[in-house]
Amino acid sequence: MLWILFALVGVVSGLQTLPPVQWLKGNASSSGFSIINVARTIYLQSSFADRVDTEGLTLIPPTAAQFAETFRHDISDLLGGNWTLEEVDEFPNSGIFLGRYRGDANLLTYENGDATEEGYELEVSGGSVYVGGTGSRGMFWGTRTLLQEILIANGSALAPGRIVDAPAYATRGYMLDAGRKWYSPYFLKELCTYASFFKMSEFHYHSSDNYPLNRGHNETWNEVFSHFSLYPEDSELQGIIQRPKETLSRADFEDFQKHCAQRGVTVVPEIEAPGHCLAITKWKPELALPKKDLLNLTHPDSISTVKAIWAEFLPWFQTKEVHIGADEYNATLADDYINFVNEMSEFVNSTSGKRIRIWGTDEPSENFTVSKDIIIQHWQYGQSDPIQLQDDGYSQVNSEDWWAYMSLKNDHTPIFPATYPQFYNVTRTMNFANIPGWQWDPSLFNPVNTTEQLEPEASGNKGAILAAWNDNGPDATTQLEAYYAMREGIPVVAARAWSGARGVNITTSTLPSTLEFLMPKAPGQNLDRRLSNPQNPSIGSPLLSWTRQSLDAANVTLGQGSYGPPYTLTLRITSPFVLSGPDTSISLQEVSANSTDVTTLVFSTADNFPYPLRSTAEADGLDPGHPGRIWTNLTTSSHEPVPITLPATLRIETDVLNGSRVWVDGDFKGRFEVFVFGGRNTLFSWSQMALVAPLEEIEGGVESLVLERGVGGRGGNQTSLPPPSNDGYMVPPGSIWIIVVSLITIVMFGI
């Protein structure tokens, strides 16, 4: 593999690590570091091997040796070869060396002046590279920089020089709404692995929620989707569970937390109450207010029920801080609300020693105040004010919805000052407040009155968390579509939260190329669902081609798992069939349409949601302002299931923006989609489903199969970055870099 890499020396010059770093040039007479000239051994300083951080949030901090082992796996994954790890008292003459920071660790601080265990140095000299951390996490983050630098160098030697680096903020996080959509343990760990490559430090796991009742569903509240994604071991609490197969057991959650901690990421779990808690009120209806997903905090059993739930799960949570939600309650009941959050803060702390977070929520009380021990996650003006929180002595996290929020698959029109995008809006980070070139950082909250921001060194500002919400329900997205939505946002936000106001800015001109080069290479994961061993890696040739032979059994194993967008999958079918994989399956099924049964093509996901092929006009859903969405009152599409007549040749073209669309015998027939209630139940639309190709097993009447690379927006081979002043959806650039990066991806790593 490495000889191919070396043949392309210089192709990726000009790219930037994420987060960006500042190199201090070394002695010109010293030799640099070339990965081809070193033994496949990583050397760890023995006296540092047992170092365990104490200042981070996790209660299961890895040792430096455990982080080094993760690095060993990652470099083997990226570069090939059987790398080994060796603890030594003295380093040899050349190689990769890991150990403690050799300068004054007290000089490496967060932007507010607090000491950090996340700082590191990376020095190239004498044919070796040294990564030293102020803590074990700092050393690990240094290995992320080293891996990215090696990839970008693409076989060239790293020049002599030194990096001294530390994050501006401790909280560099992302939130996933797992209360309105099920995510498997495997997916959660893959997403954590991806985020850690860009030095994210927190995974905010929103474990419980319900479909919004403000969309006209309060009268049928007991039928509305709600979910609690953690399965209690106490049988008396299991009434809270409605979908037991879509929950994490204690063993699952412990494994998830351990996996993330091994990569420097702390899982911060959230159990939502006293709002957004239909899972509780369905179980115990007597505890509900007239708006049925709000707890009646004056009922004598309400707070004790919430405490019982937390008492069950607190021993599961290996973190010093947990999130109790406390979002969007009734402002007229402010006294009850404040007493609740204060009582929960005292209960959680006295029970487990943990501190709590809550969402910033309007509580206009003249009698009580929220305890200063509680951390406020600001998300919207009118709910909380960051400057007032700082002045009043609160700790806070920046999740201001203007820059931080996504509503997966469909926005919340009308919401002002800006709708929530379906995909993370990189524009709002790179051009904060629509000001070209003003890169957001966690001190920046207000996109309207730009003079009202926190100082970068504000003592109460812990950092920032972006948020992916599933307000449109469990069937509006696949699990992988959450990754597509955050794919660019995670590295960009991680970079800006790491750099803050003092660090190196992202280079706008090369960001599309940098993202598309680095994102698929995050080691230890395959969220883009690329083939590890395609039949033909050459551009222009099919990745996979199969034709049934006369001696083939009815069931044939392809053994290729899944392939993600963009792709084109062509099937020749003669009878009913099932093509299955670990993420999806596609088959011919009977579905109801206009009181009759129609045999059509149906995609099904691993979480058991079926999506029949529906009739749409070929041009519908291509609105650049709302990609993939078809308004019900502006459509030439019937959205009825499409009958399939055998034999047939099916061509499925999939990209993230337009979803999975189907041609039958050369004629466009429709796409796989979902109906979404939007805009507080006033705007209805059909939205695209981008489904991965199942390539594991064929059952029945498939005569041939051809998988080809596709083209299209925001897929595994294409990124997007907006013009500097554009606050709308980001348009994929027409850039030679895309071709260059695709070539490198193919020859180096397989797709």
Side-chain angles (χ1 to χ4, degrees), residues 402-404 424-435 437-441 444 466 488-489 491-497 506 511 721-722 726-727 730:
W402 186 86
W403 73 263
Y424 185 83
N425 193 323
V426 175
T427 306
R428 297 179 187 174
T429 303
M430 299 301 292
N431 308 300
F432 181 71
N434 296 329
I435 298 174
W438 189 14
Q439 296 190 17
W440 167 89
D441 69 66
L444 302 177
L466 64 86
E488 296 173 5
V492 170
V493 170
R496 294 303 306 134
I506 295 170
L511 180 57
L721 188 68
N726 175 25
D727 185 48
M730 295 78 75

Side-chain angles (χ1 to χ4, degrees), residues 620-631:
D620 278 355
L622 301 180
D623 179 354
H626 302 287
R629 179 163 62 187
I630 304 175
W631 296 114

Side-chain angles (χ1 to χ4, degrees), residues 172-376:
R172 309 176 303 278
Y174 60 102
M175 189 221 77
L176 180 61
D177 177 1
R180 286 176 280 211
K181 171 69 184 178
W182 161 242
Y183 294 98
S184 71
Y186 185 78
F187 173 82
L188 295 172
K189 291 191 289 186
E190 273 198 293
L191 189 61
C192 192
T193 298
Y194 175 78
S196 75
F197 189 52
F198 303 102
K199 304 190 179 82
M200 278 290 193
S201 63
E202 295 182 17
F203 187 159
H204 177 172
Y205 181 78
H206 184 82
S207 74
S208 62
D209 214 317
N210 53 267
Y211 193 82
L213 294 186
N214 60 11
R215 298 189 181 181
H217 292 283
N218 199 51
E219 296 305 314
T220 57
W221 63 276
N222 59 329
E223 301 173 9
V224 170
F225 180 86
S226 62
H227 189 49
F228 198 96
S229 65
L230 304 175
Y231 194 84
E233 295 176 331
D234 185 346
S235 60
E236 293 186 4
L237 296 175
Q238 290 170 6
I240 205 170
I241 301 297
Q242 297 183 42
R243 302 165 74 93
K245 293 183 179 179
E246 297 180 2
T247 56
L248 301 180
S249 67
R250 181 169 185 172
D252 291 333
F253 201 77
E254 293 276 11
D255 181 57
F256 168 38
Q257 293 176 102
K258 182 179 179 181
H259 176 90
C260 291
Q262 192 68 53
R263 292 185 169 275
V265 179
T266 301
V267 177
V268 178
E270 176 185 358
I271 298 174
E272 178 75 75
H276 295 257
C277 57
L278 199 59
I280 297 176
T281 57
K282 280 184 183 178
W283 174 39
K284 295 189 174 185
E286 69 276 11
L287 304 185
L289 286 172
K291 187 173 182 297
K292 296 298 186 178
D293 61 351
L294 303 182
L295 280 179
N296 178 0
L297 294 175
T298 63
H299 191 287
D301 293 338
S302 286
I303 294 179
S304 61
T305 297
V306 175
K307 286 181 178 179
I309 293 169
W310 274 100
E312 166 78 2
F313 292 110
L314 278 171
W316 294 28
F317 298 156
Q318 302 293 344
T319 171
K320 299 174 185 177
E321 294 176 9
V322 294
H323 204 303
I324 70 163
D327 186 29
E328 294 185 303
Y329 195 61
N330 187 329
T332 66
L333 303 175
D335 287 0
D336 296 333
Y337 170 89
I338 294 172
N339 283 331
F340 167 77
V341 298
N342 287 345
E343 187 170 343
M344 287 304 301
S345 175
E346 182 179 350
F347 171 78
V348 169
N349 185 261
S350 62
T351 302
S352 66
K354 304 181 193 298
R355 193 176 178 188
I356 71 165
R357 299 179 182 182
I358 65 171
W359 295 101
T361 300
D362 184 28
E363 65 278 336
S365 173
E366 297 180 358
N367 304 308
F368 305 103
T369 58
V370 172
S371 167
K372 300 295 194 304
D373 293 331
I374 296 173
I375 301 158
I376 311 297

